[in-house]
Amino acid sequence: MANTETFGEHQEAHVGKWSTDRRGLISGSVQRHIKEAYDKVDFTLLSPKAAPKMLIPCVGVTRDYQSPYGVYTYSYEGIDPGQGDDESLITFELDITMEEVSIEAHPNLAAIEKIYGRFDTRLKRFTQRYLSGSGASGLNGEGASESRKINPLYGTDSFLCFGATFKKSYVRRAIPPSALRGIGTIIARPIGLSSFPLPAAAKHRKWLKLAPKITLRGNCVHIEENYIMSGRHGIVKEIYGAAQLEEEGDAGAGGGSALTSGTL
């Protein structure tokens, strides 16, 4: 192999790969190659404050070694400071779900019981033998009679129910008030849902606005607004009819709170 000769100095700054995602979030990297021993890390350079100045802020630094250079890679993330809010960059996602629900909530339970016997409300399932009669429930319940025929629904205590979740994602320089407004309230249809053709039966369902997910991304925030579709019977407005982050605190209430869950 012929001898080679290098002319000039090794370049210190090396611009890496840069990209913009579908929501307008810019990300990329810049490297600094510094002559140093492999086991000597310059912790001054291992800081976002030492990053070469770019349009968006540095959010992280890593150090590797390629003899004879310590390679400091600065990662950047954010949006163009001069960029205004672009509604066309908002993305929408619809996720169809199948939720396991107690058989007691089945809309055709009465018709099912006519064929397969009564649902045992004490054991919370259909019994091994057909259970008939109008007395107390249970295999040996008073007034209830038991068939000798094996029940095909023996052990059944739940069924799969169609549902959906909807997500609206975007980036902004600051958290808009609308993102935190109306959390825990019932709405007819989230903005953007019309882009997805849903079954005709879905038009009778309501939607509940859930708490958003907000992530700091350099000089901006990435916001995900979340909604969940109700069951066939809608959402009980006495439970979910108030904006939870806009409520006044109870007079004399302590700082703690009880966490509860339930079905819509």
Side-chain angles (χ1 to χ4, degrees):
M1 180 182 292
N3 292 332
T4 60
E5 185 176 356
T6 301
F7 295 91
E9 296 293 328
H10 182 83
Q11 182 175 319
E12 179 179 322
H14 298 258
V15 178
K17 183 179 179 180
W18 285 73
S19 63
T20 303
D21 73 5
R22 57 183 179 170
R23 302 180 187 93
L25 184 71
I26 303 170
S27 59
S29 65
V30 175
Q31 289 184 346
R32 293 182 67 177
H33 292 198
I34 306 297
K35 271 193 174 181
E36 61 185 11
Y38 77 94
D39 58 350
K40 299 294 183 182
V41 178
D42 189 334
F43 288 98
T44 301
L45 296 177
L46 198 67
S47 167
K49 294 180 180 179
K53 296 298 182 184
M54 300 297 284
L55 187 67
I56 58 177
C58 174
V59 295
V61 189
T62 61
R63 189 264 189 187
D64 200 356
Y65 190 77
Q66 296 176 8
S67 180
Y69 300 99
V71 179
Y72 295 82
T73 302
Y74 300 90
S75 299
Y76 299 80
E77 198 171 60
I79 58 175
D80 184 342
Q83 174 186 318
D85 295 341
D86 188 344
E87 297 298 312
S88 69
L89 297 179
I90 297 175
T91 63
F92 303 100
E93 299 175 48
L94 181 69
D95 184 19
I96 305 300
T97 63
M98 294 299 291
E99 180 185 7
E100 192 171 14
V101 178
S102 170
I103 197 72
E104 293 177 279
H106 198 289
N108 298 323
L109 180 60
I112 293 172
E113 287 185 314
K114 286 182 180 179
I115 301 173
Y116 298 102
R118 290 193 295 107
F119 178 80
D120 192 312
T121 56
R122 180 177 63 85
L123 299 176
K124 298 297 180 182
R125 58 180 174 81
F126 281 91
T127 55
Q128 184 176 18
R129 309 288 181 177
Y130 287 84
L131 193 64
S132 61
S134 57
S137 62
L139 290 175
N140 299 312
E142 183 181 351
S145 59
E146 183 181 318
S147 169
R148 292 185 178 181
K149 187 177 179 181
I150 298 295
N151 191 344
L153 291 186
Y154 170 54
T156 299
D157 58 3
S158 63
F159 72 105
L160 293 175
C161 182
F162 158 78
T165 59
F166 183 72
K167 181 190 297 183
K168 173 183 176 182
S169 302
Y170 53 95
V171 293
R172 292 289 183 267
R173 286 189 294 274
I175 302 173
S178 60
L180 299 176
R181 186 181 301 127
I183 294 175
T185 58
I186 307 165
I187 60 175
R189 291 174 67 85
I191 295 175
L193 184 64
S194 58
S195 302
F196 300 90
L198 290 173
K203 68 180 181 180
H204 303 295
R205 307 284 187 96
K206 300 296 183 182
W207 293 82
L208 183 71
K209 183 174 181 179
L210 306 179
K213 179 181 179 181
I214 303 175
T215 308
L216 181 64
R217 308 292 292 269
N219 63 352
C220 64
V221 286
H222 176 207
I223 301 168
E224 294 180 357
E225 295 184 19
N226 298 290
Y227 303 83
I228 186 170
M229 179 189 281
S230 75
R232 309 170 46 98
H233 304 297
I235 304 173
V236 179
K237 65 181 181 179
E238 286 77 14
I239 296 178
Y240 292 103
Q244 297 186 31
L245 291 188
E246 299 168 21
E247 294 177 330
E248 295 291 338
D250 295 334
S257 63
L259 300 178
T260 58
S261 61
T263 57
L264 303 182

